[in-house]
Amino acid sequence: MQVKTLIGAAAALFAMLSAAAQASGLAGVQVSGCWVRTMPATLPSSAYFTIKNDADKPVSLKGVDAPAFGMVMMHQTQSNGSTSRMVHVDALDVPAHSTLQFAPGGYHVMLEQPQHALKVGTTIPLTLNFGAAGKLDVQCELRPASAPAH
Ligand SMILES: [Cu+2]
């Protein structure tokens, strides 16, 4: 079930919203298709993207920064029948030659305390922190709360 969801989300990637690694420690690592489900200011918004690691060594995502928000956390939604809950994620490994999806129903970046009004259709920057390997910046499209998962 979850794999199916991830594949569906992959189909929604925006090639134009991609970031190439600048730091040599992240050569071969790309972040693409970033978008945000934009919620009213009192509710958390969520960011989704795809990390593709074409390098010969694994990388580890240690955290995400979003200057547009006061609080940023990596979460995983875990579903168990009719109930689902969110679990905090400290770090996520992306093995060599593999892809990691942040997608509705799975991994997401929870964004709280927006620092200014969020305008659907515009973009906000996100910075993915891979520890000693370096950081990657990506622009994320603000989509409405009703945006389909894929
Ligand atoms: Cu969450």
Side-chain angles (χ1 to χ4, degrees), residues 46 75 77 86 108 110:
S46 298
H75 280 171
T77 300
M86 293 192 298
H108 56 275
M110 186 132 279

Side-chain angles (χ1 to χ4, degrees), residues 21-90:
Q22 302 295 322
S24 58
L26 288 173
V29 179
Q30 281 194 324
V31 182
S32 62
C34 188
W35 66 282
V36 173
R37 186 184 298 283
T38 311
M39 301 295 282
T42 52
L43 294 172
S45 295
S46 298
Y48 308 105
F49 47 78
T50 300
I51 303 172
K52 192 164 187 286
N53 181 9
D54 283 328
D56 292 328
K57 55 182 183 352
V59 293
S60 183
L61 179 63
K62 307 289 191 188
V64 178
D65 291 325
F69 290 88
M71 187 179 287
V72 182
M73 292 168 288
M74 292 196 295
H75 280 171
Q76 182 184 24
T77 300
Q78 296 183 342
S79 296
N80 184 0
S82 57
T83 63
S84 75
R85 65 192 184 115
M86 293 192 298
V87 180
H88 191 82
V89 177
D90 287 324

Side-chain angles (χ1 to χ4, degrees), residues 132-144:
K135 295 180 176 182
L136 282 181
D137 295 325
V138 63
Q139 289 291 325
C140 304
E141 183 189 355
L142 298 180
R143 295 187 191 170

